[in-house]
Amino acid sequence: MAELMYREALNQALAEEMERDANVFLIGEEVGRYQGAFKVSQGLLDKFGSARIIDAPISELGFTGLGVGAAMVGLRPVVEMMTWNFAILAMDQIVNNAAKLRHMSGGQLRCPIVFRGPGGAGGRLSSQHSQALESTYAHFPGLKVIAPATPADAKGLLKAAIRDDNPVVMFEGERLYAIKGEVPEGEHVIPLGKADVKREGKDVTLITWSRMYYFCEEAAKQLESEGISVEILDLRTLRPLDEEAILASVRKTNRAVIVEEGWPLAGVGAQVVDIIQSKAFDDLDAPVVRVTGLDVNMSYAANLENAIQPDAPKIIAAVKKVLYREGA
Amino acid sequence: MASAYSKDLLLTMYRKMYLMRRFEERTQQQYGLGKIAGFCHLYIGQEAVAVGVNEAVRPDDYMLSGYRDHAQPLARGSHAGMIMAELFGRTGGYSKGKGGSMHIFDIEHHFYGGYGIVGGQIPLAAGMAFASRYRNEDRITVCYFGDAAANQGAFHETLNMAVKWKLPVLYICENNRYGMGTAIARVSAVPEIHKRGAGYNMRHEAVDGMDALKVYEAVKDAAAYIRAGNGPVLMEANTYRFRGHSVVDPATYRSKQEVEDERKNDPIPRLMHYALKEGLAKESDFEAIENEIKEQVDEAVKFADESPEPSLDELWRDTIVEEGEEDVRPRARVLGEKVDNWPSYPSGKDLKVTWDLEPREQAEKADKAAGLKS
Ligand SMILES: Cc1ncc(C[n+]2csc(CCOP(=O)(O)OP(=O)(O)O)c2C)c(N)n1
């Protein structure tokens, strides 16, 4: 298996799906001649030409809606958001049109489209460029929402998303693009809606997705040296949530900590807590604990930026709390 | 001089306009009876636009609209009873009663919906037109929107792309001079909406939207221009809605005099007088049509009344496409009729994309002009 960067895995998925199906095209700012703001579309313009790799003007609402219209009549657009922060301008098209077309038409229409781009905080970019917005989209019926952590998952989930007949919102990790991992070649498709146990353990389950997975790994390693065995469940898909996988893991470890980059109120983690307490209450040995970003706007100052985000020490403290260990 | 129009065309237009008018009068009445609820925007007064446009384009051209969307599908040939059933929230409606007044979708007649967010359909139309070019089809997309929608960012963003990529789309602004209760001139720097096309190098023109034949002529010409690959057209049809913004709006923001004056332009008698004057039809032709339509509208109401409410299971359908799930064909589902005009799209395997959106030389020239090396 080849070692690829997360961005290369995405690039491979795009290239393979475009080759496989001429209905697939990519549109977004700087995806063509510039080779992608984060280089995900590197080399694709030469391979597929300007009708299929389309440099859009800075008109998020406009080109997103154009994608939705193309999907309504049978094409399979991939709309790249330079980052999800800017996609807030396009939200009307994603939420009011793409998510609702099938319902409003009584099942006449389908909208096979992928909206993808980097999400998440960090890099000293302050409030408008540093947000984990996935819970916003996970709120809406009619959308599927995915957020892969590893290069292999990025490839497999993007391929599945492009083949899916529903609108899929994909959060890539802005800070994950350069990480490396083994990526299966060719037909590697991960079904949407399936979580993945990334680490087996006995004492506590860490439930997470996207970049937070890496902090969980770091925490798990440290905890292991202290004799605590941690299971990590990477949700991968946030809508629909893999309830079975969540419940199975909690029933095994009897303790859960949810690690979410975004804000606590109405976060995806809040829904996970609800699933656990309503369906596996009797299996719990301790209340579920959430580690989230702080309920504030992102700051530029380095120390504030760090303080706002979850990290391994915060996760370790939360694990100790659910284990009733001292120091928590 | 003989008229340039056939009797058949004139009577078809008349029949459709008369249907729209009577259908919507009954809609208002049924609203009053509590059978229809929600927002319900009538098209009364604007019929010349829908009929003029529809007769000038092909039945398989794509079409979509805003929330004032009962009449345009009637012009396309949609089933009046199924539209009424949709307004009633019944299972016999095009969307099984899930869309209601603002969301009529009849894909068999290539009517891709009414949309409730002002201006939200404008980018969708560009996407549908994009798909036609991508697949080398010569069909065009017709997109209706109101004068107030032209102040949305979606309008401006889309015009820019549509021109740049020569998308085969006809934007029809139905300028009825009001966005809800606000006269367009009060909130628009340029109230002549069509002039905004100039800012995007887009062919643009205005037409008398109270005259079905003028709309017909203008759209025929524009459609030919678009179909020939010249790019989009912005057409402003100056029209007037005789009723309030929606059925519950008494429209007190307009003077009685203004409405009375506009009513003198009623497009329906106008077309009739033309046909009579040209000797293309007799009074009795119109009487026959009117009687037929009255019956058709009665039947539509009866059809809607007799159609059951959707079952609660329907809540869980039509939001996400399950694997292998077929799309719903309303006419087959409701009337049991075979549907053979359901759109089919080439699979990705058969599709050859030959279109060059931005030819290399063009891109390089632009770079050079900007002082970049290529
Ligand atoms: C984005 C948005 N803002 C406001 C509304 C409320 N609203 C519905 S219709 C309307 C007026 C629109 O007027 P126009 O576009 O001229 O169309 P017309 O009603 O004249 O056909 C308004 C303000 C809405 N539906 N969507």
Side-chain angles (χ1 to χ4, degrees):
Chain A
M1 245 188 300
E3 271 250 313
L4 292 183
M5 282 195 274
Y6 190 95
R7 66 159 59 91
E8 292 168 337
L10 290 165
N11 179 280
Q12 202 175 77
L14 281 170
E16 286 175 15
E17 291 308 299
M18 289 187 68
E19 216 134 83
R20 183 177 165 269
D21 182 351
N23 285 312
V24 181
F25 71 93
L26 176 71
I27 184 168
E29 291 155 15
E30 310 289 0
V31 297
R33 299 206 85 208
Y34 190 83
Q35 308 293 328
F38 290 90
K39 302 289 172 259
V40 171
S41 56
Q42 183 115 40
L44 297 183
L45 177 64
D46 274 344
K47 228 184 228 154
F48 298 106
S50 67
R52 297 186 67 198
I53 301 292
I54 302 166
D55 278 323
I58 305 178
S59 301
E60 280 81 4
L61 171 66
F63 70 74
T64 300
L66 184 147
V68 175
M72 281 163 63
V73 293
L75 297 188
R76 306 186 84 85
V78 177
V79 178
E80 177 170 309
M81 302 299 178
M82 194 178 267
T83 79
W84 278 100
N85 302 286
F86 318 140
I88 293 173
L89 278 83
M91 209 164 160
D92 176 54
Q93 291 297 331
I94 300 174
V95 164
N96 270 322
N97 285 339
K100 301 187 169 108
L101 275 166
R102 188 156 184 85
H103 182 86
M104 296 192 305
S105 68
Q108 292 177 73
L109 283 182
R110 53 184 72 198
C111 188
I113 187 168
V114 179
F115 309 101
R116 47 154 290 271
R124 309 281 308 274
L125 295 172
S126 189
S127 306
Q128 296 181 334
H129 279 66
S130 265
Q131 328 186 56
L133 293 167
E134 49 267 37
S135 69
T136 310
Y137 294 89
H139 199 59
F140 296 102
L143 299 177
K144 293 187 178 180
V145 180
I146 58 179
T150 63
D153 285 357
K155 177 177 176 184
L157 287 170
L158 178 53
K159 284 173 79 86
I162 291 172
R163 297 179 193 189
D164 200 284
D165 275 338
N166 297 287
V168 180
V169 173
M170 180 179 196
F171 285 86
E172 296 158 8
E174 182 166 330
R175 320 213 56 207
L176 296 182
Y177 281 131
I179 63 145
K180 283 191 165 171
E182 304 241 294
V183 177
E185 260 138 62
E187 193 67 4
H188 167 62
V189 184
I190 297 173
L192 306 187
K194 291 268 174 266
D196 183 39
V197 177
K198 286 258 171 3
R199 181 189 187 93
E200 299 257 8
K202 302 193 301 285
D203 300 328
V204 58
T205 302
L206 293 177
I207 301 173
T208 193
W209 62 92
S210 192
R211 180 165 73 106
M212 295 298 111
Y213 159 68
Y214 295 93
F215 294 131
C216 289
E217 271 293 348
E218 197 184 324
K221 279 195 194 108
Q222 280 200 46
L223 287 161
E224 197 171 58
S225 68
E226 297 176 35
I228 299 167
S229 159
V230 176
E231 174 142 313
I232 300 178
L233 184 70
D234 175 6
L235 291 177
R236 300 197 295 200
T237 300
L238 305 180
R239 175 183 268 277
L241 276 170
D242 189 347
E243 284 199 20
E244 254 172 62
I246 293 168
L247 295 173
S249 182
V250 170
R251 286 186 177 129
K252 175 177 157 196
T253 64
N254 312 107
R255 290 181 164 85
V257 170
I258 298 153
V259 184
E260 171 168 15
E261 181 176 348
W263 296 290
L265 186 77
V268 173
Q271 183 67 20
V272 176
V273 174
D274 181 69
I275 291 169
I276 295 171
Q277 71 86 25
S278 61
K279 299 199 172 146
F281 187 75
D282 292 341
D283 296 287
L284 284 178
D285 287 343
V288 179
V289 169
R290 293 172 70 199
V291 179
T292 68
L294 299 188
D295 207 10
V296 298
N297 285 324
M298 184 56 73
S299 286
Y300 171 70
N303 64 327
L304 298 183
E305 187 187 66
N306 281 332
I308 288 167
Q309 299 177 70
D311 57 15
K314 287 179 189 170
I315 298 167
I316 289 168
V319 167
K320 290 189 171 167
K321 192 167 167 194
V322 297
L323 285 160
Y324 302 117
R325 297 278 175 108
E326 87 286 21
Chain B
M1 196 180 84
S3 166
Y5 306 105
S6 71
K7 174 178 182 180
D8 190 42
L9 175 71
L10 290 183
L11 290 186
T12 299
M13 283 184 162
Y14 187 81
R15 178 190 301 274
K16 288 182 173 177
M17 287 205 281
Y18 196 79
L19 170 62
M20 296 173 203
R21 181 68 59 90
R22 288 286 161 285
F23 180 91
E24 290 213 311
E25 285 168 353
R26 284 303 285 280
T27 300
Q28 171 123 34
Q29 179 206 37
Q30 297 297 304
Y31 198 97
L33 294 172
K35 299 208 174 163
I36 298 172
F39 291 144
C40 185
H41 312 87
L42 303 184
Y43 194 71
I44 291 178
Q46 304 183 199
E47 293 92 344
V49 186
V51 82
V53 170
N54 191 73
E55 299 317 299
V57 300
R58 284 194 331 224
D60 67 337
D61 285 331
Y62 297 138
M63 192 176 279
L64 71 175
S65 180
Y67 45 81
R68 199 178 294 285
D69 64 343
H70 313 156
Q72 295 127 357
L74 284 174
R76 295 241 97 180
S78 299
H79 189 270
M82 288 175 68
I83 297 178
M84 192 62 88
E86 189 58 37
L87 303 185
F88 277 40
R90 301 299 176 84
T91 188
Y94 272 99
S95 301
K96 311 178 187 172
K98 296 174 180 184
S101 164
M102 298 190 281
H103 310 295
I104 305 295
F105 285 78
D106 176 4
I107 306 312
E108 289 157 46
H109 288 93
H110 304 279
F111 190 79
Y112 278 77
Y115 294 84
I117 304 298
V118 170
Q121 75 275 26
I122 296 175
L124 297 182
M128 294 164 73
F130 174 89
S132 298
R133 272 206 78 175
Y134 193 91
R135 289 193 291 245
N136 278 323
E137 301 165 344
D138 73 338
R139 57 155 65 103
I140 68 170
T141 297
V142 177
C143 180
Y144 292 95
F145 61 97
D147 39 276
N151 285 335
Q152 285 282 28
F155 171 80
H156 296 275
E157 294 188 17
T158 303
L159 259 50
N160 179 54
M161 291 186 295
V163 171
K164 195 69 205 160
W165 298 334
K166 289 199 172 176
L167 301 181
V169 55
L170 173 61
Y171 283 108
I172 300 269
C173 176
E174 296 189 90
N175 188 347
N176 58 22
R177 309 215 309 254
Y178 293 87
M180 269 180 85
T182 302
I184 192 65
R186 278 179 55 212
V187 288
S188 293
V190 180
E192 303 90 346
I193 306 299
H194 73 98
K195 287 190 187 166
R196 297 179 186 200
Y200 300 96
N201 253 339
M202 180 163 172
R203 172 169 158 180
H204 56 97
E205 60 207 79
V207 59
D208 178 357
M210 300 306 260
D211 186 330
L213 291 171
K214 288 203 178 121
V215 176
Y216 173 76
E217 288 299 344
V219 173
K220 249 176 62 168
D221 194 56
Y225 168 91
I226 296 166
R227 241 184 270 284
N230 295 308
V233 172
L234 173 61
M235 188 174 296
E236 177 179 14
N238 288 300
T239 181
Y240 199 77
R241 63 169 152 77
F242 293 165
R243 302 293 176 92
H245 168 66
S246 72
V247 294
V248 296
D249 168 25
T252 48
Y253 44 84
R254 315 189 292 198
S255 72
K256 277 214 170 64
Q257 190 58 49
E258 177 181 312
V259 181
E260 252 169 53
D261 287 348
E262 291 298 333
R263 278 188 175 279
K264 289 183 195 133
N265 277 329
D266 192 325
I268 300 180
R270 192 158 162 181
L271 187 74
M272 182 202 278
H273 292 145
Y274 175 84
L276 290 172
K277 194 181 85 206
E278 295 290 314
L280 282 168
K282 300 191 292 285
E283 302 267 1
S284 58
D285 292 321
F286 294 105
E287 272 162 34
I289 288 175
E290 288 166 14
N291 289 332
E292 248 172 71
I293 297 290
K294 275 183 197 128
E295 209 168 290
Q296 189 184 352
V297 173
D298 282 345
E299 269 168 31
V301 174
K302 185 161 173 283
F303 179 90
D305 248 332
E306 288 173 356
S307 176
E309 287 188 313
S311 75
L312 288 182
D313 307 345
E314 280 297 337
L315 283 174
W316 304 102
R317 291 192 195 118
D318 305 331
T319 295
I320 284 287
V321 187
E322 303 297 341
E323 228 177 281
E325 185 184 358
E326 295 277 321
D327 293 333
V328 171
R329 301 179 176 203
R331 193 171 285 259
R333 176 178 64 81
V334 177
L335 307 174
E337 287 174 10
K338 196 166 165 289
V339 175
D340 41 26
N341 50 339
W342 192 262
S344 67
Y345 307 111
S347 89
K349 282 206 179 62
D350 320 324
L351 186 63
K352 278 261 168 307
V353 185
T354 52
W355 176 26
D356 213 355
L357 197 79
E358 191 189 18
R360 199 74 188 190
E361 319 84 72
Q362 192 182 309
E364 275 162 12
K365 224 165 94 190
D367 278 0
K368 221 177 193 166
L372 302 173
K373 61 175 174 49
S374 48

